[in-house]
Amino acid sequence: MTTALRPPRANRSLNSGSVSKSGLRLKWSEPSLEGGWMRQDARKNRERILAAAEEVFGSRGATGSTEEVAQRAGVGIATVFRHFPTKEELIEAALLQHFDQLTERAYALAAKEDPATAWRDLVRAMIETGATKLTLASALADREGVPDTAGAASNRLKVAVSEILGRAQDAGTVRPSVTIEEVYLLIRGLAQASATMRPRSDVLERAIDVVLTGLSQSGRLPVDNG
């Protein structure tokens, strides 16, 4: 019997209304600057700012500007700085959200999909968004390494990926000899290549298929009859 995955405890307050079908709590609420809960409009502004920051800094790195973030988010520059006093804090928060969203997606996939589908969808998502993650991380390169908070968020994601890998191996989908370090090396390789020179979407899609085929037990991907 497969054990249900449980997300690790994060340093945030859980939103009690966000529970998956399996009982996993998957959403987090962010505290306000005053230590209480954010008003709904402030929370929506923050979400828009972070989404815009991931687009701007995830594609342009440190050369992106907070002014462009504000414009894309549809808020004033003062609102951006009210939530994130410095550009570095904004980039760091965007990177943290990137890791957290992937971790959240991993547990959601595990709750809803069979091990093979969850594995394929997660690896595909990590490769497709890997260039954004690397560009965000490189924007913080002038600091003394990756922030501890980002390192912790990255570790939480790796735990989730490891568990989903184990489930896929138990189901006979992935070769039992494959390790999480080998998987991460392959993901980083395609992500780094994509960050250096953005490939056409169809080329990246086929490259991901090659990786998944190489990791599969049978050496070929299952046919999607849907």
Side-chain angles (χ1 to χ4, degrees):
M1 181 175 180
T2 303
T3 303
L5 271 67
R6 295 184 179 277
R9 188 181 301 278
N11 293 325
R12 306 190 198 182
S13 298
L14 289 171
N15 182 336
S16 59
S18 302
V19 182
S20 73
K21 292 180 180 179
S22 66
L24 299 178
R25 297 180 183 273
L26 299 174
K27 299 288 186 181
W28 291 288
S29 295
E30 296 287 352
S32 71
L33 296 177
E34 292 76 21
W37 297 112
M38 279 187 178
R39 299 191 316 273
Q40 184 175 3
D41 57 342
R43 185 166 58 250
K44 287 182 178 179
N45 281 342
R46 188 180 193 279
E47 291 171 355
R48 287 198 295 267
I49 291 168
L50 284 175
E54 185 166 351
E55 291 178 7
V56 171
F57 299 120
S59 61
R60 298 174 56 191
T63 61
S65 68
T66 50
E67 289 78 8
E68 185 177 354
V69 171
Q71 184 178 24
R72 290 200 186 194
V75 300
I77 190 66
T79 301
V80 174
F81 284 117
R82 188 178 305 123
H83 288 273
F84 307 99
T86 68
K87 179 178 176 179
E88 290 73 19
E89 288 180 58
L90 176 56
I91 296 174
E92 181 179 343
L95 180 59
L96 286 175
Q97 177 171 271
H98 175 89
F99 284 127
D100 284 346
Q101 286 179 338
L102 277 175
T103 303
E104 190 173 312
R105 182 169 183 174
Y107 288 118
L109 286 170
K112 297 178 182 178
E113 306 289 352
D114 67 275
T117 301
W119 168 249
R120 293 194 301 272
D121 288 354
L122 180 59
V123 170
R124 193 173 298 278
M126 291 181 69
I127 293 175
E128 289 174 345
T129 63
T132 296
K133 180 206 72 175
L134 290 175
T135 306
L136 286 170
S138 69
L140 298 172
D142 290 339
R143 300 173 55 168
E144 296 181 0
V146 176
D148 291 342
T149 50
S154 176
N155 288 337
R156 289 194 295 272
L157 173 60
K158 195 170 186 177
V159 168
V161 178
S162 296
E163 294 189 42
I164 290 179
L165 169 60
R167 285 159 57 96
Q169 289 173 321
D170 290 343
T173 298
V174 178
R175 297 179 184 183
S177 61
V178 171
T179 67
I180 187 63
E181 299 304 332
E182 292 166 345
V183 170
Y184 262 60
L185 181 61
L186 291 168
I187 291 174
R188 280 196 298 268
L190 277 183
Q192 185 66 61
S194 299
T196 303
M197 182 177 294
R198 300 275 178 172
R200 295 199 321 265
S201 58
D202 61 317
V203 174
L204 181 60
E205 185 77 13
R206 288 197 297 272
I208 295 172
D209 284 343
V210 169
V211 169
L212 289 171
T213 300
L215 294 173
S216 68
Q217 180 79 284
S218 63
R220 61 179 182 272
L221 288 175
V223 177
D224 184 359
N225 296 316

